[in-house]
Amino acid sequence: MRIDQDLIDRFADVVDDHQFIHVDPVRAARESAFGGTIAHGFLVLSLLTKLSRQVFVEPAAGAAEINYGFDKVRFLAPVRSGARIRACFNLVASQKKGGGTLATYAATMEIEGQPKPALAADWLVLTTN
């Protein structure tokens, strides 16, 4: 998935975070260590949901997947505007929780052509029955 400036700007509007490193390409190129604008960490984190739809099995009819939270999140490298990312998910635990199943995924967001991932997280997803 490509992270373009339009997506970054729209996210900035939603969360009311218009820091220049996100929304001002000229100033960010001139004044930041990033050489241009970068995506918000929370934007990159929230894209786990979108990208998980490409690999997770659809829940059974009547069931729902609920974001239960994170045990750990680390932002390891900035995602520059125009960069392409992809997510990798590894199921590391699954247990019964109430009337459903709580899964823990080791999630990594990779940046094309970069040695370090954008983020690493332990993501908890509760699937209701």
Side-chain angles (χ1 to χ4, degrees):
M1 174 181 182
R2 185 169 303 281
I3 305 300
D4 62 19
Q5 191 61 49
D6 180 61
L7 178 62
I8 295 169
D9 291 344
R10 288 184 290 134
F11 188 83
D13 289 341
V14 169
V15 298
D16 195 23
D17 180 355
H18 296 92
Q19 188 177 172
F20 80 94
I21 62 172
H22 303 302
V23 299
D24 188 335
V26 173
R27 184 175 174 200
R30 185 179 64 236
E31 297 179 24
S32 78
F34 308 114
T37 55
I38 60 171
H40 303 72
F42 284 131
L43 168 58
V44 176
L45 182 67
S46 69
L47 290 171
L48 288 174
T49 300
K50 176 183 176 75
L51 296 173
S52 73
R53 297 290 165 249
Q54 297 174 7
V55 294
F56 286 8
V57 175
E58 187 74 23
E65 288 181 330
I66 299 167
N67 181 359
Y68 199 75
F70 293 88
D71 278 342
K72 179 178 107 178
V73 176
R74 296 291 181 267
F75 299 103
L76 303 170
V79 177
R80 290 174 176 82
S81 178
R84 288 173 24 107
I85 60 169
R86 71 175 179 186
C88 299
F89 304 93
N90 292 305
L91 178 64
V92 295
S94 180
Q95 64 187 38
K96 294 294 180 189
K97 178 88 173 165
T101 302
L102 181 63
T104 302
Y105 295 94
T108 305
M109 188 73 73
E110 298 176 344
I111 309 166
E112 186 176 58
Q114 298 299 312
K116 290 176 68 174
L119 71 83
D122 293 335
W123 187 21
L124 307 176
V125 178
L126 179 64
T127 302
T128 64
N129 295 333

